Structures are given as structure tokens and as C-alpha cells.
Amino acid sequence: MKEQWIREGFSNYYTVKKQADITYEKKILLQHSLECLLPCEFRMEDEEEYYYFETGMYLPFMKKINQIDPAAFFYEFFCSLEEIESYLLNLDHLKIEEGLIFLRDECHPVFCYLPEQEKNIYDQIQEFLEECMEKISYNDRKKTRIYYELHSYLAKEKPNIRQIKEFLKPKPEEKKITEQQPAAEERYKEKSEPVDGKNRTVLVKEIILVILSFLCIGIAAFFTVKLMVYGLYYKFVLGFLGAVLGFGVDAVCLLKIFKEENSEEEMEEEETEFTRKLTEDDQKTVLLLELPMGYLRKTDQDERIELTGKEFVIGSQERGTDYQLKEVGVSRRHVRFWEEEGEVWAEDLNSTNGTKVNGKRIQRQKLNHGDVVVIAREEFCYEEAVGTF
């Protein structure tokens, strides 16, 4: 099997001469249906067809072997195998070996699916684990043990993918939240109890003051009757004046409590109003920030793409792009647009078929109103955004 590594511009390719006649697998590879597979092109050279697997956009697994969590990585590894199998692809056609396992998003594996390959997937995985055990640092015993345990489990048990996933599935730990919950509840009680206690105390004070007020009124009425019957006897006068004074003190205390409660309610209303105004101001600010930096209008069509946000990426895949073009020739992440000092720029993201502005292939280019932007074979007219401030 003739194979080699090729570098073209900013892209790296792993190439293999095509020998088998494939249809369904070729369609899957061309459509880039699976993110866990390397993007593949088919090229003719000297009347012979070759696989071109693009590898430059991914990080080789072996470069990060000592940084990643092997349990999480191999769990995603077998989840990906399950997904590949669901597309009716033969897992024995994967090349599981050093140099052909890559990473996306830190721990998600990317494989090379080569229909010319024919080797038992489980034998390949065990050999790959042995290669890993030669590369890993033995300073972290926990990570080292995972590689050895997984290799031993595959060799002895001969499990299927579901069983391996169960073996690697993270075990539910004793949640720290449970341990911290009593402390959190105590803190909540400390905060809530003073408030409840304060409300309860105020209520008790109000009840006592009201009772005392009625008691003072009753005493004052009693001495009033005595004065009317026996005349201005000094004991009755003092009793009447004491009762009136007590009622006055109770009334002042009740008035003070009512004023404090009303002031608290007014403060709460003011805070609510202030928060509402802040929210309205924030919403206005967001609306201003959401104005697009520009538009791409398809030639001879009313359809247009709004270039929103600080950065806008167009490509064929959903992950990592803001707009998907599914047309032939569009790379996964094809072109990026961004705004800098009031000017909009376009940058080709090392795409296979390139990006052109006014007929010239670009790497990075400032855009002006009316520029013709060609993404692979798709032609657009760039229009500046006009906002009202």
C-alpha cells in the first residue's frame, strides 16, 4: 500500500493510493459526515486515484498524551467508534496507530478511515495502547494505571463497545455539594433568621404597644370617672395624667415603627425601579452591539448573510462556524470575517479551494462596499452595514 505525507501551503496531507472500488464509503468521506473522521479528498495523479486525508487542522494525539485525561479520552474514543459503526462503516478499516490519531477540542479523537485497511479493530487498539505505554510519563500513576487496566481488560475479557464504555464511564463520586450542603444551609439560616427574627420582634412590639395603648385609654377613662365623681383629688389627677402620658408614648413608638416599615418599602420600590431602568439600558446597549458588521448577498439573488458579532466564520461544518455553506468545495472552516477599527476584513482559513476578492485569491483582505467575494464556487457581493445611532 503506497502511502506518504505531503505538505501543501498551510495544510498537511496523508495520502494513500486507492485500489479498492468503493461507493458508499467514498460518499461518506466526501461529505465529511462524521467529525471524528479526517476530511478526505480524492485526487487523480498519473491516471491513478489517491486518498488525501487533511491532518493539518488537528493536533497529533501523541503530543498531548501526558496532558489529557486518558479515561475521558478513551471514553470518547469508543463513543466515536460506536458512531462510526452506526453509519454502517467497517471499524476494521480504521488506522489506529501512532501518527494517525488526532485530537479536536482537547479530548475528542479524530481517526483516519481507510477502506484499503483491513485489520481487526481490537488488535489495533491493544497495539495502540502498547505504543501509548511507551510514550507516557510514569510520574502520574493514576493515568498510567488506566492504560494498563484498559489493555488488560481488552485482552482478557474480549468485551464489546458497550461494555468498554461502561468500564470507562466516570464513576459517580461522593458529591462535594452534599458535604457542603449543611454549611450552605447554616449560612442560609444565618442570613434568613435575623430577617425573620426582626419581623417577629417588630410584630411583638406592635402588639404590646397596642395592648398598652388600650390599657392606658382604659386607665384614663377610669380616672376621668373618678374625677367626675369625687372632684379634683390629686391622686386621680396624677393617675389620669400618667395614663395620658403612657398613651402618648405608645402612640409615638407605634408611629416610629410604621414610618420605618414605610421607608423600607419605599427603598425596595426605588431599588426595583432602579434595576428595571438598568435592565432597559442594558437591553438598549445590546441592541446597538448586535448591529451586523456587513452583509454578503448572493449574486442575482435576494438572499444575504448577516455578518454578526465581532467574528463571523463560514464553512461546511456546524461546529466552529457561524454560517454553513454545504456546497461542493467549501472547507469545514473556510473563511473568517472580523471588524477592526471600523473596517471589515476577510481571512481565508487555509481552505482547499481558497477565497477570492474581486477575482484574486487572498489570505487576508480588507473589504469595501461592492467587493465580489467568492467562497470556493459561491459568489457574493459584500455590502456595508448602515446603522442608526
Side-chain angles (χ1 to χ4, degrees):
M1 185 165 57
K2 184 180 177 182
E3 55 184 338
Q4 59 181 332
W5 294 85
I6 295 176
R7 182 175 179 82
E8 290 183 359
F10 295 95
S11 296
N12 294 322
Y13 293 91
Y14 169 68
T15 68
V16 181
K17 182 180 176 182
K18 181 174 175 289
Q19 296 173 342
D21 185 20
I22 59 173
T23 53
Y24 174 77
E25 292 171 318
K26 184 174 183 179
K27 185 177 180 181
I28 294 292
L29 290 172
L30 284 174
Q31 287 183 344
H32 298 174
S33 302
L34 292 164
E35 291 185 339
C36 58
L37 297 183
L38 288 172
C40 182
E41 302 173 16
F42 291 81
R43 299 186 187 180
M44 297 296 297
E45 295 180 9
D46 300 326
E47 298 182 351
E48 292 183 330
E49 196 169 16
Y50 286 79
Y51 300 91
Y52 270 67
F53 295 98
E54 187 175 359
T55 63
M57 65 177 70
Y58 301 109
L59 185 69
F61 167 77
M62 287 299 178
K63 286 189 176 180
K64 298 283 286 184
I65 189 170
N66 289 314
Q67 284 78 48
I68 66 168
D69 178 5
F73 170 78
F74 281 105
Y75 182 81
E76 293 295 334
F77 185 105
F78 285 97
C79 286
S80 299
L81 293 187
E82 202 172 47
E83 184 182 10
I84 292 168
E85 202 170 37
S86 71
Y87 276 73
L88 305 181
L89 296 176
N90 189 343
L91 295 181
D92 292 344
H93 291 170
L94 291 170
K95 290 205 72 171
I96 310 297
E97 61 185 44
E98 179 181 355
L100 283 175
I101 302 294
F102 298 87
L103 290 172
R104 62 177 176 85
D105 301 336
E106 295 300 322
C107 71
H108 292 81
V110 180
F111 305 100
C112 176
Y113 185 86
L114 182 61
E116 313 295 333
Q117 163 86 2
E118 189 67 42
K119 187 175 180 180
N120 183 274
I121 183 67
Y122 294 101
D123 292 341
Q124 290 192 72
I125 293 171
Q126 289 183 55
E127 291 173 6
F128 176 66
L129 286 168
E130 291 167 5
E131 292 172 353
C132 291
M133 287 186 276
E134 293 176 2
K135 298 286 185 180
I136 58 175
S137 169
Y138 284 72
N139 294 331
D140 191 330
R141 293 185 179 181
K142 183 179 178 182
K143 289 183 178 180
T144 305
R145 189 170 63 251
I146 291 171
Y147 286 100
Y148 279 91
E149 287 178 350
L150 179 57
H151 184 277
S152 176
Y153 180 68
L154 292 175
K156 293 179 180 179
E157 302 296 333
K158 307 296 182 184
N160 56 35
I161 291 178
R162 183 183 57 79
Q163 293 169 329
I164 298 170
K165 283 174 60 182
E166 285 297 318
F167 176 80
L168 292 167
K169 193 173 183 180
K171 304 297 184 294
E173 299 177 358
E174 289 293 332
K175 293 187 178 179
K176 294 182 179 179
I177 297 174
T178 306
E179 298 173 358
Q180 295 172 355
Q181 191 170 0
E185 289 178 355
E186 288 300 323
R187 288 196 298 270
Y188 175 76
K189 287 178 181 178
E190 288 174 4
K191 290 182 179 179
S192 61
E193 283 179 358
V195 175
D196 295 340
K198 180 182 177 181
N199 293 337
R200 202 176 297 115
T201 303
V202 170
L203 182 61
V204 170
K205 284 182 180 179
E206 289 177 350
I207 293 171
I208 291 173
L209 288 172
V210 169
I211 292 172
L212 288 175
S213 297
F214 280 107
L215 184 61
C216 289
I217 291 171
I219 293 171
F222 171 78
F223 284 111
T224 301
V225 172
K226 290 291 184 181
L227 288 171
M228 291 175 64
V229 174
Y230 297 104
L232 296 174
Y233 186 62
Y234 78 97
K235 289 184 178 180
F236 298 151
V237 172
L238 289 176
F240 174 79
L241 292 175
V244 171
L245 182 63
F247 176 79
V249 172
D250 289 343
V252 170
C253 290
L254 282 171
L255 185 61
K256 185 178 179 181
I257 291 173
F258 289 139
K259 281 185 177 180
E260 287 177 355
E261 290 180 348
N262 290 334
S263 63
E264 287 179 0
E265 290 178 0
E266 288 175 1
M267 286 177 66
E268 288 177 1
E269 290 177 0
E270 289 176 1
E271 287 178 1
T272 304
E273 182 66 20
F274 180 69
T275 305
R276 185 182 63 78
K277 288 182 178 179
L278 279 178
T279 305
E280 290 177 355
D281 292 341
D282 288 343
Q283 290 174 346
K284 291 176 183 177
T285 304
V286 170
L287 289 173
L288 290 176
L289 291 174
E290 287 179 351
L291 287 172
M293 66 179 89
Y295 305 93
L296 290 179
R297 186 183 297 276
K298 275 199 171 184
T299 308
D300 301 328
Q301 293 185 27
D302 292 333
E303 181 184 350
R304 69 179 185 179
I305 303 171
E306 284 191 5
L307 306 178
T308 55
K310 295 181 180 179
E311 182 179 278
F312 194 90
V313 177
I314 294 177
S316 61
Q317 72 173 8
E318 293 185 7
R319 186 185 293 273
T321 60
D322 301 291
Y323 187 87
Q324 291 80 50
L325 277 178
K326 300 296 185 181
E327 282 72 9
V328 176
V330 178
S331 296
R332 287 185 164 194
R333 284 169 53 86
H334 197 106
V335 60
R336 176 174 75 101
F337 299 89
W338 79 98
E339 191 172 13
E340 186 177 321
E341 296 180 356
E343 297 176 333
V344 178
W345 291 72
E347 179 184 22
D348 184 77
L349 299 177
N350 303 323
S351 63
T352 302
N353 295 298
T355 304
K356 295 180 181 179
V357 176
N358 297 330
K360 294 182 180 180
R361 188 161 180 165
I362 62 139
Q363 182 59 41
R364 181 178 294 185
Q365 176 73 41
K366 186 182 77 170
L367 297 180
N368 297 309
H369 185 75
D371 283 348
V372 176
V373 180
V374 178
I375 302 172
R377 298 179 182 175
E378 301 303 306
E379 188 173 296
F380 301 88
C381 179
Y382 171 71
E383 298 177 353
E384 293 179 348
V386 179
T388 303
F389 298 90

